[in-house]
């Protein structure tokens, strides 16, 4: 794909490296020419795309950066307001179908997704979730992203008072969904009817929205 990355900070530069390693054609735009120097700091990799300094929210600047021929735009500056504006311009002015914006404020992220429907990444939410799973490192966990939302799945031991009861009798904590049960042999049963009977060796699987 032909991809425009707006913002060449640490996150943007790492994304650029990954995209080029996957064989995509990448163009980069950043308001600060000094930030573009990161493209010369990749270890064992030479940036082969086009880099340009300019104001990201300017339509002509985006056009000169090649947005009209892009298959996707990723916006990763350090300013949420700029990221939102660029995402709107990319989608509504240039008709780019694949637009992903970094938004660090979780409340702003939720508002933006609800009212505009763009894909977003919230590093604040993801960092908090990763730290939580690090604290609960004895629990199995994973994350799944669908659309603009990332869900976290994690397991907890079956409380003694639930042993012998059907899974559907378990009430999930507020803000979480009971997904199923992980058995000692590694198999998973969902929280559906007919419901499995819980054993002391089982693990309850919960799901929560991480981002």
């Amino acid at each position: 794909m032909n991809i425009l990355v707006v913002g060449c900070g640490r996150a943007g530069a790492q994304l650029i490296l990954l995209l080029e390693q996957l064989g995509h054609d990448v163009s980069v735009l950043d308001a600060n020419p000094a930030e573009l120097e990161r493209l010369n700091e990749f270890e064992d990799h030479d940036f082969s795309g086009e880099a340009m300094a300019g104001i990201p929210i300017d339509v002509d600047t985006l056009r000169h950066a090649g947005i009209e021929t892009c298959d996707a735009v990723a916006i990763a500056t350090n300013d949420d307001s700029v990221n939102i504006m660029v995402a709107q311009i990319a989608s509504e002015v240039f008709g780019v179908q694949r637009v992903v914006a970094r938004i660090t404020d979780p409340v702003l992220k939720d508002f933006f997704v609800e009212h505009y429907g763009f894909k977003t990444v919230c590093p604040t939410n993801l960092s908090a979730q990763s730290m939580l799973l690090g604290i609960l490192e004895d629990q199995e966990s994973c994350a799944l992203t669908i659309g603009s939302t990332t869900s976290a799945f994690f397991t907890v031991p079956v409380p003694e008072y639930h042993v012998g009861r059907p899974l559907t009798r378990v009430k999930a904590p507020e803000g979480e969904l009971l997904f199923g049960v992980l058995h000692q042999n590694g198999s998973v049963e969902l929280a559906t009817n007919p419901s499995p009977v819980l054993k002391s060796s089982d693990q309850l699987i919960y799901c929560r929205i991480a981002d």
Side-chain angles (χ1 to χ4, degrees), residues 2-6 67 70-75 86 90 96 98-101:
N2 185 358
I3 302 168
L4 172 63
V5 176
V6 180
I67 195 171
C70 283
D71 301 301
V73 177
I75 309 109
V86 175
V96 181
R98 298 189 183 189
V99 178
V100 182

Side-chain angles (χ1 to χ4, degrees), residues 129 133 139-144 151-159 162 166-168 170-173 175-192 196 198-199 201-209:
Q129 184 64 38
L133 296 179
Q139 301 178 2
E140 296 190 37
S141 62
C142 68
L144 172 67
S151 300
F153 294 81
F154 61 98
T155 63
V156 297
V158 173
H162 277 315
L167 178 61
T168 50
V170 178
K171 184 178 180 180
E176 297 174 356
L177 171 71
L178 178 62
F179 180 78
V181 59
L182 172 65
H183 297 301
Q184 192 174 30
N185 63 3
S187 65
V188 171
E189 290 187 82
L190 301 180
T192 58
L198 297 171
K199 302 176 182 178
S201 58
D202 288 336
Q203 300 273 321
L204 298 174
I205 307 172
Y206 290 109
C207 175
R208 70 160 64 95
I209 299 299

Side-chain angles (χ1 to χ4, degrees), residues 102-135:
R102 175 190 183 191
I103 302 180
T104 58
D105 184 338
V107 175
L108 189 58
K109 178 261 185 187
D110 290 342
F111 176 86
F112 188 56
V113 171
E114 180 180 352
H115 288 80
Y116 296 97
F118 294 137
K119 291 185 178 180
T120 63
V121 174
C122 181
T124 303
N125 284 345
L126 295 177
S127 295
Q129 184 64 38
S130 296
M131 294 176 72
L132 174 63
L133 296 179
I135 293 171

Side-chain angles (χ1 to χ4, degrees), residues 42-70:
F42 293 143
E43 187 174 346
D44 300 324
H45 180 82
D46 294 324
F47 176 67
S48 60
E50 297 291 332
M52 174 180 171
I55 304 301
I57 60 175
D58 181 75
V59 172
D60 288 335
T61 299
L62 289 168
R63 184 176 287 112
H64 292 155
I67 195 171
E68 291 178 306
T69 59
C70 283

